Amino acid sequence: MAASETTAFLISNAFFQLSRNPPVLQRLRDEVNSLGPSKAVELDFERLSSMKYLRDVLNETLRLHPIFSQMFRVALRDTKLPLGGGPNGTSPVYVREGTVLATSFYTLHRLPSIWGSDAADFKPERWYTFKPNPWEYVPFGGGSRACVGQQKALMEASYVIVRVLQEYSHIESRDGREWEGHVQMTSKSANGCKLSLTKN
């Protein structure tokens, strides 16, 4: 999975959203400009990690467009899940050996019961105050099988986005279509990310 251009998909999805949300783009540009002149700025791990709004933009991008939008598991023996059964979803669920279990992170990340009535909107500001509970936001999986490349992917995406915003004064979408997913092992935009960039 790590060789499936996952970081490139994240960067593409981020620019897709930024090009269609000018106030978000301007706010991120302000944060980038606060670093100082581009040629004098060393974009190391600490500096990129300190960019709160950039992290919020990436979190919101991964929420709406998780690279791994679904997961399937097969029960190797009779077992039970601790929650999910009964009228309130708080009782155990019996799972017979051989049962295929499907999880949709795409659906989870858009549930109004978790994210609010604006769950379908690209809104990085939601991350200022909202902190999802464990297993409500899992773009990199979780537990012992969480993606080991999480920090690497976020740093690479952060670096590319900051450098692009330092070099180009204007970013505009050149595609009127809504985001459409293409799902294989990973999920990506079926139509790519068509942009117009204006050099500083």
Side-chain angles (χ1 to χ4, degrees), residues 7 21 24 71 83 94 103 137-138 148 167-168 183 185 190:
T7 305
N21 293 276
V24 174
M71 178 182 68
L83 297 171
Y94 173 71
T103 303
Y137 176 69
V138 284
V148 296
E167 293 294 324
Y168 296 94
V183 180
M185 184 187 305

PDB file of all heavy atoms in Angstrom, residues 7 21 24 71 83 94 103 137-138 148 167-168 183 185 190:
ATOM      1  N   THR A   7       0.688   9.472  -0.653  1.00  0.00           N
ATOM      2  CA  THR A   7       0.989  10.862  -0.302  1.00  0.00           C
ATOM      3  C   THR A   7       0.630  11.798  -1.441  1.00  0.00           C
ATOM      4  O   THR A   7       0.119  12.901  -1.216  1.00  0.00           O
ATOM      5  CB  THR A   7       2.478  11.012   0.077  1.00  0.00           C
ATOM      6  OG1 THR A   7       2.802  10.085   1.125  1.00  0.00           O
ATOM      7  CG2 THR A   7       2.772  12.421   0.560  1.00  0.00           C
ATOM      8  N   ASN A  21     -11.930  26.651  -2.168  1.00  0.00           N
ATOM      9  CA  ASN A  21     -12.261  27.326  -0.909  1.00  0.00           C
ATOM     10  C   ASN A  21     -11.295  28.480  -0.673  1.00  0.00           C
ATOM     11  O   ASN A  21     -10.374  28.384   0.149  1.00  0.00           O
ATOM     12  CB  ASN A  21     -12.198  26.322   0.252  1.00  0.00           C
ATOM     13  CG  ASN A  21     -13.272  25.260   0.172  1.00  0.00           C
ATOM     14  OD1 ASN A  21     -14.403  25.468   0.596  1.00  0.00           O
ATOM     15  ND2 ASN A  21     -12.921  24.101  -0.391  1.00  0.00           N
ATOM     16  N   VAL A  24     -10.146  29.583   2.864  1.00  0.00           N
ATOM     17  CA  VAL A  24      -9.238  28.620   3.493  1.00  0.00           C
ATOM     18  C   VAL A  24      -7.842  28.773   2.896  1.00  0.00           C
ATOM     19  O   VAL A  24      -6.839  28.794   3.624  1.00  0.00           O
ATOM     20  CB  VAL A  24      -9.748  27.175   3.310  1.00  0.00           C
ATOM     21  CG1 VAL A  24      -8.723  26.162   3.824  1.00  0.00           C
ATOM     22  CG2 VAL A  24     -11.079  26.989   4.011  1.00  0.00           C
ATOM     23  N   MET A  71     -12.116  -1.013   4.716  1.00  0.00           N
ATOM     24  CA  MET A  71     -11.263  -2.108   5.188  1.00  0.00           C
ATOM     25  C   MET A  71     -12.126  -3.355   5.332  1.00  0.00           C
ATOM     26  O   MET A  71     -13.279  -3.278   5.765  1.00  0.00           O
ATOM     27  CB  MET A  71     -10.635  -1.745   6.534  1.00  0.00           C
ATOM     28  CG  MET A  71      -9.767  -2.835   7.126  1.00  0.00           C
ATOM     29  SD  MET A  71      -9.089  -2.374   8.735  1.00  0.00           S
ATOM     30  CE  MET A  71     -10.560  -2.335   9.744  1.00  0.00           C
ATOM     31  N   LEU A  83     -19.111  -4.303  21.000  1.00  0.00           N
ATOM     32  CA  LEU A  83     -20.208  -3.348  20.846  1.00  0.00           C
ATOM     33  C   LEU A  83     -20.820  -3.472  19.461  1.00  0.00           C
ATOM     34  O   LEU A  83     -20.235  -4.064  18.561  1.00  0.00           O
ATOM     35  CB  LEU A  83     -19.714  -1.912  21.047  1.00  0.00           C
ATOM     36  CG  LEU A  83     -19.150  -1.539  22.421  1.00  0.00           C
ATOM     37  CD1 LEU A  83     -18.517  -0.157  22.362  1.00  0.00           C
ATOM     38  CD2 LEU A  83     -20.233  -1.584  23.480  1.00  0.00           C
ATOM     39  N   TYR A  94     -22.143 -11.350  17.935  1.00  0.00           N
ATOM     40  CA  TYR A  94     -21.526 -12.640  17.632  1.00  0.00           C
ATOM     41  C   TYR A  94     -21.093 -12.652  16.171  1.00  0.00           C
ATOM     42  O   TYR A  94     -21.840 -12.259  15.278  1.00  0.00           O
ATOM     43  CB  TYR A  94     -22.515 -13.776  17.899  1.00  0.00           C
ATOM     44  CG  TYR A  94     -22.007 -15.125  17.463  1.00  0.00           C
ATOM     45  CD1 TYR A  94     -20.981 -15.758  18.149  1.00  0.00           C
ATOM     46  CD2 TYR A  94     -22.572 -15.769  16.361  1.00  0.00           C
ATOM     47  CE1 TYR A  94     -20.517 -17.008  17.747  1.00  0.00           C
ATOM     48  CE2 TYR A  94     -22.118 -17.008  15.953  1.00  0.00           C
ATOM     49  CZ  TYR A  94     -21.082 -17.625  16.656  1.00  0.00           C
ATOM     50  OH  TYR A  94     -20.626 -18.853  16.258  1.00  0.00           O
ATOM     51  N   THR A 103     -15.651  -2.285   6.882  1.00  0.00           N
ATOM     52  CA  THR A 103     -15.668  -0.994   7.560  1.00  0.00           C
ATOM     53  C   THR A 103     -15.484   0.098   6.526  1.00  0.00           C
ATOM     54  O   THR A 103     -14.580   0.019   5.694  1.00  0.00           O
ATOM     55  CB  THR A 103     -14.526  -0.906   8.600  1.00  0.00           C
ATOM     56  OG1 THR A 103     -14.656  -1.989   9.515  1.00  0.00           O
ATOM     57  CG2 THR A 103     -14.569   0.392   9.347  1.00  0.00           C
ATOM     58  N   TYR A 137     -11.897   8.931  13.963  1.00  0.00           N
ATOM     59  CA  TYR A 137     -11.101   9.520  12.880  1.00  0.00           C
ATOM     60  C   TYR A 137      -9.869   8.642  12.707  1.00  0.00           C
ATOM     61  O   TYR A 137      -8.971   8.643  13.538  1.00  0.00           O
ATOM     62  CB  TYR A 137     -10.714  10.958  13.233  1.00  0.00           C
ATOM     63  CG  TYR A 137      -9.803  11.617  12.230  1.00  0.00           C
ATOM     64  CD1 TYR A 137     -10.265  11.941  10.959  1.00  0.00           C
ATOM     65  CD2 TYR A 137      -8.484  11.934  12.562  1.00  0.00           C
ATOM     66  CE1 TYR A 137      -9.428  12.557  10.035  1.00  0.00           C
ATOM     67  CE2 TYR A 137      -7.650  12.547  11.646  1.00  0.00           C
ATOM     68  CZ  TYR A 137      -8.122  12.861  10.392  1.00  0.00           C
ATOM     69  OH  TYR A 137      -7.299  13.470   9.470  1.00  0.00           O
ATOM     70  N   VAL A 138      -9.846   7.865  11.618  1.00  0.00           N
ATOM     71  CA  VAL A 138      -8.786   6.863  11.459  1.00  0.00           C
ATOM     72  C   VAL A 138      -8.227   6.859  10.028  1.00  0.00           C
ATOM     73  O   VAL A 138      -8.241   5.818   9.365  1.00  0.00           O
ATOM     74  CB  VAL A 138      -9.287   5.457  11.860  1.00  0.00           C
ATOM     75  CG1 VAL A 138      -9.383   5.304  13.355  1.00  0.00           C
ATOM     76  CG2 VAL A 138     -10.650   5.162  11.220  1.00  0.00           C
ATOM     77  N   VAL A 148       2.700   2.950   9.713  1.00  0.00           N
ATOM     78  CA  VAL A 148       3.977   3.380  10.283  1.00  0.00           C
ATOM     79  C   VAL A 148       4.536   4.600   9.555  1.00  0.00           C
ATOM     80  O   VAL A 148       5.416   5.281  10.065  1.00  0.00           O
ATOM     81  CB  VAL A 148       5.018   2.238  10.266  1.00  0.00           C
ATOM     82  CG1 VAL A 148       4.569   1.091  11.147  1.00  0.00           C
ATOM     83  CG2 VAL A 148       5.287   1.759   8.844  1.00  0.00           C
ATOM     84  N   GLU A 167       5.702  29.763  -3.819  1.00  0.00           N
ATOM     85  CA  GLU A 167       6.103  30.061  -5.195  1.00  0.00           C
ATOM     86  C   GLU A 167       4.985  30.650  -6.053  1.00  0.00           C
ATOM     87  O   GLU A 167       5.250  31.328  -7.034  1.00  0.00           O
ATOM     88  CB  GLU A 167       6.630  28.789  -5.874  1.00  0.00           C
ATOM     89  CG  GLU A 167       7.933  28.268  -5.297  1.00  0.00           C
ATOM     90  CD  GLU A 167       9.088  29.221  -5.548  1.00  0.00           C
ATOM     91  OE1 GLU A 167       9.122  29.846  -6.620  1.00  0.00           O
ATOM     92  OE2 GLU A 167       9.939  29.354  -4.650  1.00  0.00           O
ATOM     93  N   TYR A 168       3.728  30.354  -5.692  1.00  0.00           N
ATOM     94  CA  TYR A 168       2.608  30.765  -6.540  1.00  0.00           C
ATOM     95  C   TYR A 168       1.631  31.640  -5.759  1.00  0.00           C
ATOM     96  O   TYR A 168       1.220  31.295  -4.652  1.00  0.00           O
ATOM     97  CB  TYR A 168       1.894  29.536  -7.107  1.00  0.00           C
ATOM     98  CG  TYR A 168       2.780  28.737  -8.029  1.00  0.00           C
ATOM     99  CD1 TYR A 168       3.523  27.661  -7.545  1.00  0.00           C
ATOM    100  CD2 TYR A 168       2.917  29.084  -9.367  1.00  0.00           C
ATOM    101  CE1 TYR A 168       4.366  26.940  -8.375  1.00  0.00           C
ATOM    102  CE2 TYR A 168       3.747  28.371 -10.215  1.00  0.00           C
ATOM    103  CZ  TYR A 168       4.473  27.305  -9.703  1.00  0.00           C
ATOM    104  OH  TYR A 168       5.314  26.601 -10.535  1.00  0.00           O
ATOM    105  N   VAL A 183     -11.987   3.905  -6.446  1.00  0.00           N
ATOM    106  CA  VAL A 183     -11.537   3.038  -5.369  1.00  0.00           C
ATOM    107  C   VAL A 183     -10.941   1.756  -5.932  1.00  0.00           C
ATOM    108  O   VAL A 183     -11.583   1.038  -6.702  1.00  0.00           O
ATOM    109  CB  VAL A 183     -12.702   2.689  -4.416  1.00  0.00           C
ATOM    110  CG1 VAL A 183     -12.218   1.790  -3.285  1.00  0.00           C
ATOM    111  CG2 VAL A 183     -13.331   3.958  -3.862  1.00  0.00           C
ATOM    112  N   MET A 185      -7.201  -0.447  -4.356  1.00  0.00           N
ATOM    113  CA  MET A 185      -6.613  -0.713  -3.043  1.00  0.00           C
ATOM    114  C   MET A 185      -6.698   0.546  -2.185  1.00  0.00           C
ATOM    115  O   MET A 185      -6.897   0.494  -0.980  1.00  0.00           O
ATOM    116  CB  MET A 185      -5.148  -1.144  -3.184  1.00  0.00           C
ATOM    117  CG  MET A 185      -4.505  -1.520  -1.864  1.00  0.00           C
ATOM    118  SD  MET A 185      -2.731  -1.836  -1.980  1.00  0.00           S
ATOM    119  CE  MET A 185      -2.675  -3.082  -3.239  1.00  0.00           C
ATOM    120  N   ALA A 190     -11.078  10.391  -9.242  1.00  0.00           N
ATOM    121  CA  ALA A 190     -11.202   9.807 -10.580  1.00  0.00           C
ATOM    122  C   ALA A 190     -10.848  10.816 -11.661  1.00  0.00           C
ATOM    123  O   ALA A 190     -10.440  10.437 -12.764  1.00  0.00           O
ATOM    124  CB  ALA A 190     -12.622   9.294 -10.789  1.00  0.00           C
TER     125      ALA A 190
END
